[in-house]
C-alpha cells in the first residue's frame, strides 16, 4: 500500500478538516506534556471533526469527486491486489513483443478462489507516472489484457478488472499500432467469455480506455470514483472552447457513482472510508473485497449461458429511456 509516512497531499476542501485534526493533536500533546486532563474538550473536538468530515464528503460536487478520484495517494490496482489477495503472480506481455506498464494483470487467489485480476496502473510520483504513462494504456496493454482474459476463460477462472484511467493513450504511435481495433476487439470478445466478469471503477474511468476492460455482468464503482465518456475539461473545451467551464461540464455529464447508479449504468456503489479511500487504504480494500466476494458468489451460481445473457442485456439496456406524455 501507499507509504503512510509521506507528507499528505491536501485538496482545498480537505484543509478545514485537516487543520481541526492537527489542532486536536496539538492539544493532546500539550496536555500530556503538562499533565492536564482535557479529555472532555478532546471528545468535543473529535465529535466536531467527525461531523465536519461527514458534512464535507456527503456534499462534494462532481468536480470535487473528480479531484478525489485523481488523488495521488488514492490506492491503485496493485495496492488493492496486495491488500486483498493471496499468491499474486503478475504476468507480462501481449505475446506480440510489448509489455505495457500502464495495464497490469496476473493470477491470484481471492478468498481462496483462483482469479485473474487486471487493471490500469497509475504512478505515485512524476517519474513513476511517466513510466506508467499516467495509466493510459497502449494497444499492447489491451492486447495483454485480452490474452489474460482468454487464459482465465481456458482455465475457468473469474475475471476481475480495475478501471483507473483518464482514457486510452491517444498518441500517434498508439493509432499506428491499432488502438481503436485493440479496444473494439476486447469489447467483442468479452461478451463471449464463459467465466464471471466483475469490473470496478476504482478511480477515474475515462472514455474507451475504461471500456476496453469494462464489459462484465457487474459494474461496481467506489463511492468517490468517476466514470465518463470524456473528462470534464475535454468536454468543456469541445462545447464551450473553454476548459474553465469544467465544473459545469462535470455537473452535466453525470460522472458520479450516485448519478450513474440512478441511471442504471452501474450495479453497485462500494462505500469508501470516511475521508476517501486514500485516508485509509486498508479499510477501502476490505470494503471492496467484501463486495467482490459477494458478487462472485452470485455469478458463480449461474451457468455460463446465463452470465453471457446477463452481460448482453446489461449493455443493451444502457441508454434506453421512455418518453412520458403529459
Amino acid at each position: 500500500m501507499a507509504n503512510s509516512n509521506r507528507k499528505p497531499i491536501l485538496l482545498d476542501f480537505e484543509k478545514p478538516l485537516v487543520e481541526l485534526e492537527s489542532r486536536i493533536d496539538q492539544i493532546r500533546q500539550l496536555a500530556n506534556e503538562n499533565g492536564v486532563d482535557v479529555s472532555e474538550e478532546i471528545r468535543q473536538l473529535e465529535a466536531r471533526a467527525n461531523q465536519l468530515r461527514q458534512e464535507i464528503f456527503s456534499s462534494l460536487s462532481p468536480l470535487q469527486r473528480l479531484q478525489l478520484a485523481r488523488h495521488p495517494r488514492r490506492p491503485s490496482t496493485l495496492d488493492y491486489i496486495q491488500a486483498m489477495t493471496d499468491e499474486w503472480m503478475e504476468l507480462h506481455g501481449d505475446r506480440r513483443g510489448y509489455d505495457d506498464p500502464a495495464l497490469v494483470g496476473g493470477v491470484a487467489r481471492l478468498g481462496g478462489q483462483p482469479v485473474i485480476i487486471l487493471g490500469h496502473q497509475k504512478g505515485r510520483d512524476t517519474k513513476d507516472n511517466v513510466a506508467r504513462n499516467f495509466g493510459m494504456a497502449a494497444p499492447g496493454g489491451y492486447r495483454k489484457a485480452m490474452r489474460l482474459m482468454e487464459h482465465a476463460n481456458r482455465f475457468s477462472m473469474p475475471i476481475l478488472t480495475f478501471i483507473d484511467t483518464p482514457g486510452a493513450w491517444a498518441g500517434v504511435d498508439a493509432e499506428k499500432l491499432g488502438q481503436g481495433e485493440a479496444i473494439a476487439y476486447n469489447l467483442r470478445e468479452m461478451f463471449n467469455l464463459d467465466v464471471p466478469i466483475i469490473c470496478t471503477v476504482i478511480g477515474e474511468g475515462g472514455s474507451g480506455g475504461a471500456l476496453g476492460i469494462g464489459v462484465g455482468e457487474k459494474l461496481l464503482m467506489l463511492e468517490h470514483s468517476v466514470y465518463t465518456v470524456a473528462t470534464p475539461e475535454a468536454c468543456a473545451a469541445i462545447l464551450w472552447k473553454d476548459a474553465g467551464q469544467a465544473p459545469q461540464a462535470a455537473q452535466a455529464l453525470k460522472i458520479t457513482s450516485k448519478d450513474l447508479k440512478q441511471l442504471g449504468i452501474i450495479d453497485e456503489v462500494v462505500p469508501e472510508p470516511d475521508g476517501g479511500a486514500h485516508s485509509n487504504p486498508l479499510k477501502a480494500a476490505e470494503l471492496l473485497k467484501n463486495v467482490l466476494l459477494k458478487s462472485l458468489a452470485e455469478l458463480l451460481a449461474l451457468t455460463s449461458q446465463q452470465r453471457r445473457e446477463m452481460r448482453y442485456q446489461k449493455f443493451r439496456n444502457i441508454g434506453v429511456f421512455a418518453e412520458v406524455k403529459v
Side-chain angles (χ1 to χ4, degrees), residues 1-3 72-85 104 121-122 124 162 202 281-282 285:
M1 305 299 288
N3 187 348
R73 297 288 180 262
R74 191 170 177 85
S76 67
T77 291
L78 290 175
D79 289 330
Y80 282 115
I81 289 172
Q82 178 185 350
M84 293 192 306
T85 67
V104 299
Q121 180 64 34
K122 293 181 178 179
R124 281 289 172 218
F162 292 154
I202 61 172
L282 290 175

Side-chain angles (χ1 to χ4, degrees), residues 196-254:
I197 306 175
I198 303 174
C199 308
T200 305
V201 184
I202 61 172
E204 187 178 7
S207 193
L211 275 179
I213 58 169
V215 176
E217 299 93 285
K218 283 186 176 282
L219 176 58
L220 314 177
M221 275 184 76
L222 293 188
E223 182 181 359
H224 299 307
S225 60
V226 298
Y227 195 38
T228 176
V229 67
T231 65
E233 296 89 347
C235 178
I238 293 168
L239 294 181
W240 297 289
K241 312 300 181 185
D242 179 12
Q245 296 291 328
Q248 183 179 347
Q251 188 70 40
L253 283 167
K254 304 297 183 185

Side-chain angles (χ1 to χ4, degrees), residues 38-259:
V38 291
S39 56
E40 180 60 25
E41 289 80 359
I42 293 292
R43 187 189 65 78
Q44 291 177 3
L45 287 172
E46 287 178 337
R48 172 57 187 149
N50 289 332
Q51 181 184 1
L52 182 60
R53 184 181 296 106
Q54 291 174 2
E55 290 173 357
I56 291 173
F57 285 90
S58 64
S59 59
L60 294 175
S61 69
L63 198 64
Q64 287 172 328
R65 291 187 187 274
L66 178 61
Q67 289 178 299
L68 272 181
R70 292 172 173 171
H71 198 290
R73 297 288 180 262
R74 191 170 177 85
S76 67
T77 291
L78 290 175
D79 289 330
Y80 282 115
I81 289 172
Q82 178 185 350
M84 293 192 306
T85 67
D86 304 310
E87 301 180 55
W88 159 252
M89 178 182 293
E90 186 174 352
L91 301 177
H92 295 272
D94 63 352
R95 295 299 184 264
R96 300 183 187 184
Y98 190 67
D99 181 33
D100 187 359
L103 203 153
V104 299
V107 184
R109 289 185 184 273
L110 183 72
Q113 168 70 49
V115 294
I116 287 285
I117 303 179
L118 53 98
H120 303 101
Q121 180 64 34
K122 293 181 178 179
R124 281 289 172 218
D125 52 34
T126 302
K127 182 179 179 181
D128 195 18
N129 256 321
V130 170
R132 299 280 185 183
N133 200 28
F134 296 85
M136 296 184 292
Y142 291 102
R143 292 179 179 126
K144 174 169 68 172
M146 195 67 243
R147 179 179 76 83
L148 297 182
M149 288 188 277
E150 289 171 346
H151 179 85
N153 200 53
R154 187 177 305 116
F155 292 99
S156 300
M157 291 187 288
I159 298 168
L160 307 178
T161 75
F162 292 154
I163 297 166
D164 187 17
T165 180
W169 181 34
V172 173
D173 286 342
E175 294 304 314
K176 287 181 179 179
L177 294 171
Q179 184 71 287
E181 182 275 338
I183 292 174
Y185 183 82
N186 282 19
L187 295 177
R188 186 188 72 185
E189 293 303 309
M190 289 181 79
F191 278 107
N192 294 321
L193 297 176
D194 294 325
V195 296
I197 306 175
I198 303 174
C199 308
T200 305
V201 184
I202 61 172
E204 187 178 7
S207 193
L211 275 179
I213 58 169
V215 176
E217 299 93 285
K218 283 186 176 282
L219 176 58
L220 314 177
M221 275 184 76
L222 293 188
E223 182 181 359
H224 299 307
S225 60
V226 298
Y227 195 38
T228 176
V229 67
T231 65
E233 296 89 347
C235 178
I238 293 168
L239 294 181
W240 297 289
K241 312 300 181 185
D242 179 12
Q245 296 291 328
Q248 183 179 347
Q251 188 70 40
L253 283 167
K254 304 297 183 185
I255 64 176
T256 68
S257 58
K258 181 180 178 181
D259 286 333

